[in-house]
């Protein structure tokens, strides 16, 4: 039988395909990354190393880069190659004094990266979108599903007694890759939530968690019925949270936002993000003068609603003077215990009939809404990406914390090299 060159080529291709399939079948490989970091087939994950680095907080003010073997990826796990992560105020508090008693641990919970390996049981993200190797991903919170809040009030699972988040999980011998301040993150935790974010760029993805805090706070404020197109809204404190809150309010249609802070560059950024009036407490050290300035632009009586975004107890005590009778307040500045303050309940609450709400982080359900906000900000040309002013590699995260504390920049980020 004569065989021409085309037939020979076809036979060779078929043999090579059969060999490839046999190679995969010999260890259960599907060629989709599900074998994990220790797969030896070489078909799909040759770039995944055997070891990787993390930035471990070993004690207060001491982050050390350490290297560990990457674990095998289980059927329900995800391996993510980290691209970047924002530095949160909570990271700074933990770095300064370990108030949560978690050290040693890998910090970083505002992170994002690329999926490089998937357990065979992982088919989609928390929102039901198909998930595959190569997708961009962010993580959200974990909930226990067993406490009173999870069982009886599933609409407020952000109040779960055992809520967790990657980046605030103590280190263990089994998994060292629990935070985003690392080269890789291993998602291997019951109740973990995560989202595919291919349509957001790196800066937007690193700002997503911060924005989610503010989107949740917006919802808390909206429930009071005091936020509408005609509302005069005060934002006190123009750090990353306060500035992002301004952007969220502007995207939601609040047309007159008043910002108070002491740093001129932060007040300049507040204007860029949508604040109509800015007041510096350094230029107006007298409280009565500041109150008068706020009332002057707020119908002569004070703002309809206020967001308190500082972590200073004295700032909370003084914010009621800016709010009109019948107005409202959302307190979102205290994610750690920064101490007490003195408030006269007659003048602060009762006489004014203030509606006061607190805001505590967010739920996983807030993430899709926040993704929509990020796209809306892009459409409205709200320059939220300008919040990122400084970036650092893995071995410079102690310096990144110092930069955050000194307020030299606004949003500090870790960028993988």
């Amino acid at each position: 039988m004569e065989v021409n060159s085309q037939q020979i080529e076809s036979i060779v291709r078929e043999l090579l395909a059969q060999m490839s399939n046999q190679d995969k079948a010999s260890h259960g490989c599907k060629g989709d990354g599900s074998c994990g970091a220790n797969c030896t087939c070489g078909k799909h994950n040759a770039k995944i190393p055997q070891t990787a680095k993390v930035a471990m907080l070993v004690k207060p003010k001491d982050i050390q880069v350490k290297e560990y073997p990457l674990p095998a990826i289980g059927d329900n796990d995800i391996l993510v190659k980290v691209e970047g992560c924002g530095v949160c105020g909570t990271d700074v508090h933990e770095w300064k004094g370990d108030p949560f008693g978690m050290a040693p641990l890998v910090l970083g919970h505002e992170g994002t990266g690329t999926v490089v390996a998937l357990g065979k049981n992982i088919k989609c993200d928390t929102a039901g979108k198909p998930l595959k190797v190569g997708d961009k991903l962010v993580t959200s919170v974990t909930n226990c599903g067993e406490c009173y809040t999870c069982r009886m009030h599933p609409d407020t699972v952000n109040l779960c007694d055992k809520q967790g988040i990657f980046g605030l999980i103590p280190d263990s011998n089994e998994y060292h890759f629990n935070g985003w301040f690392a080269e890789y993150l291993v998602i291997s935790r019951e109740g973990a939530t995560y989202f595919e974010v291919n349509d957001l760029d790196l800066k937007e993805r690193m700002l997503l968690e911060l924005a989610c805090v503010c989107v949740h706070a917006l919802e808390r404020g909206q429930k009071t019925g005091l936020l509408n197109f005609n509302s005069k809204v005060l934002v006190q404190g123009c750090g990353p949270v306060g500035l992002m809150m301004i952007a969220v309010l502007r995207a939601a249609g609040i047309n007159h936002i008043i910002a108070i802070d002491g740093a001129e560059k932060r007040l300049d950024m507040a204007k860029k993000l949508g604040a109509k009036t800015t007041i510096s407490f350094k230029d107006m050290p007298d409280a009565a003068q500041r109150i008068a300035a706020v009332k002057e632009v707020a119908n002569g009586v004070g703002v309809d609603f206020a967001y308190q975004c500082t972590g200073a107890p004295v700032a909370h005590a003084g914010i009621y003077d800016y709010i009109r009778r019948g107005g409202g307040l959302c307190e979102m500045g205290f994610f750690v215990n920064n101490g007490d303050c003195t408030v006269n309940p007659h003048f602060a609450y009762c006489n004014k009939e203030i509606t006061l709400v607190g805001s505590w982080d967010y739920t996983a359900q807030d993430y899709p809404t926040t993704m929509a906000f990020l796209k809306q900000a892009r459409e409205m040309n709200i320059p939220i990406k300008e919040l990122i002013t400084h970036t650092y590699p893995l071995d410079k995260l102690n310096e990144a914390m110092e930069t955050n504390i000194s307020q030299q920049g606004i949003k500090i980020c870790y960028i993988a090299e």
Side-chain angles (χ1 to χ4, degrees):
M1 179 181 68
E2 294 185 2
V3 180
N4 59 35
S5 60
Q6 288 182 336
Q7 290 173 317
I8 293 173
E9 183 178 352
S10 177
I11 292 170
V12 170
R13 286 180 178 177
E14 185 176 348
L15 287 171
L16 287 173
Q18 291 175 355
M19 291 170 63
S20 176
N21 289 334
Q22 289 172 356
D23 188 21
K24 292 177 182 178
S26 66
H27 64 286
C29 176
K30 297 180 180 179
D32 60 359
S34 60
C35 290
N38 297 324
C39 173
T40 59
C41 72
K43 300 296 183 184
H44 57 272
N45 59 3
K47 294 183 179 179
I48 300 176
Q50 294 297 307
T51 64
K53 296 175 181 178
V54 300
M56 183 80 69
L57 177 68
V58 296
K59 62 182 179 179
K61 297 187 178 181
D62 188 7
I63 293 176
Q64 298 179 12
V65 175
K66 295 180 177 292
E67 190 164 355
Y68 298 103
L70 278 170
I73 301 305
D75 293 345
N76 299 301
D77 301 342
I78 305 173
L79 180 65
V80 183
K81 190 178 191 309
V82 178
E83 293 181 61
C85 181
V87 175
C88 177
T90 305
D91 295 321
V92 177
H93 282 294
E94 183 63 13
W95 178 80
K96 285 170 61 178
D98 190 23
F100 306 123
M102 291 184 174
L105 80 162
V106 179
L107 291 168
H109 55 269
E110 298 180 352
T112 184
T114 303
V115 175
V116 293
L118 281 171
K120 68 178 183 180
N121 294 335
I122 305 295
K123 306 298 182 184
C124 59
D125 72 359
T126 301
K129 294 173 66 175
L131 193 64
K132 63 183 184 305
V133 169
D135 283 339
K136 306 301 182 182
L137 181 140
V138 296
T139 51
S140 184
V141 291
T142 65
N143 304 114
C144 72
E146 299 175 352
C147 69
Y148 176 81
T149 298
C150 285
R151 288 185 291 105
M152 301 303 295
H153 300 281
D155 55 330
T156 58
V157 290
N158 58 309
L159 305 180
C160 167
D161 293 337
K162 298 179 182 178
Q163 187 186 65
I165 189 169
F166 290 98
L168 288 173
I169 300 172
D171 186 54
S172 70
N173 291 328
E174 183 180 3
Y175 283 112
H176 301 287
F177 300 89
N178 289 322
W180 286 97
F181 289 168
E183 292 180 326
Y184 286 84
L185 177 82
V186 177
I187 300 177
S188 179
R189 187 173 173 86
E190 188 175 352
T193 55
Y194 40 85
F195 296 88
E196 178 259 284
V197 284
N198 292 341
D199 51 356
L200 300 176
D201 65 30
L202 176 57
K203 286 185 176 181
E204 289 170 328
R205 287 183 271 134
M206 290 192 297
L207 290 170
L208 197 158
E209 197 270 353
L210 169 63
C212 199
V213 169
C214 298
V215 166
H216 184 78
L218 173 70
E219 180 184 348
R220 295 288 291 148
Q222 287 172 330
K223 287 181 178 178
T224 68
L226 292 166
L227 291 177
N228 56 59
F229 290 113
N230 198 40
S231 300
K232 305 292 193 301
V233 179
L234 172 70
V235 174
Q236 181 169 258
C238 293
V241 171
L243 289 171
M244 185 63 81
M245 194 69 234
I246 290 170
V248 169
L249 288 165
R250 188 69 194 91
I254 303 300
N255 294 311
H256 198 141
I257 303 167
I258 304 159
I260 296 180
D261 199 85
E264 200 60 40
K265 62 184 177 183
R266 293 190 172 193
L267 291 173
D268 289 341
M269 180 61 71
K271 289 180 181 178
K272 285 185 178 182
L273 295 172
K276 186 170 288 186
T277 302
T278 58
I279 297 172
S280 171
F281 61 74
K282 288 186 177 179
D283 294 341
M284 288 188 187
D286 181 65
Q289 189 181 9
R290 294 196 302 274
I291 294 165
V294 169
K295 288 184 176 180
E296 184 179 353
V297 296
N299 304 315
V301 293
V303 297
D304 302 292
F305 200 83
Y307 281 91
Q308 206 298 113
C309 302
T310 78
V314 66
H316 174 89
I319 198 168
Y320 297 95
D321 293 327
Y322 299 112
I323 305 170
R324 69 167 175 85
R325 297 185 77 183
L329 167 65
C330 178
E331 175 56 69
M332 57 181 300
F334 295 91
F335 289 98
V336 296
N337 181 4
N338 281 341
D340 300 331
C341 66
T342 300
V343 175
N344 186 311
H346 169 71
F347 291 110
Y349 315 127
C350 295
N351 179 265
K352 286 188 172 183
E353 203 165 272
I354 291 291
T355 301
L356 170 63
V357 296
S359 184
W360 181 253
D361 56 52
Y362 47 79
T363 69
Q365 288 74 21
D366 290 317
Y367 261 56
T369 304
T370 303
M371 294 174 209
F373 154 71
L374 292 170
K375 296 170 189 175
Q376 178 72 4
R378 192 192 302 165
E379 290 290 323
M380 295 177 65
N381 294 316
I382 300 174
I384 59 171
K385 290 189 281 188
E386 291 185 24
L387 289 172
I388 298 175
T389 57
H390 292 71
T391 61
Y392 290 88
L394 197 65
D395 61 351
K396 299 292 184 183
L397 284 176
N398 288 302
E399 184 179 338
M401 299 295 174
E402 296 283 7
T403 301
N404 187 296
I405 292 171
S406 67
Q407 296 189 5
Q408 296 176 43
I410 297 175
K411 188 64 182 174
I412 316 301
C413 292
Y414 152 57
I415 299 292
E417 295 179 315

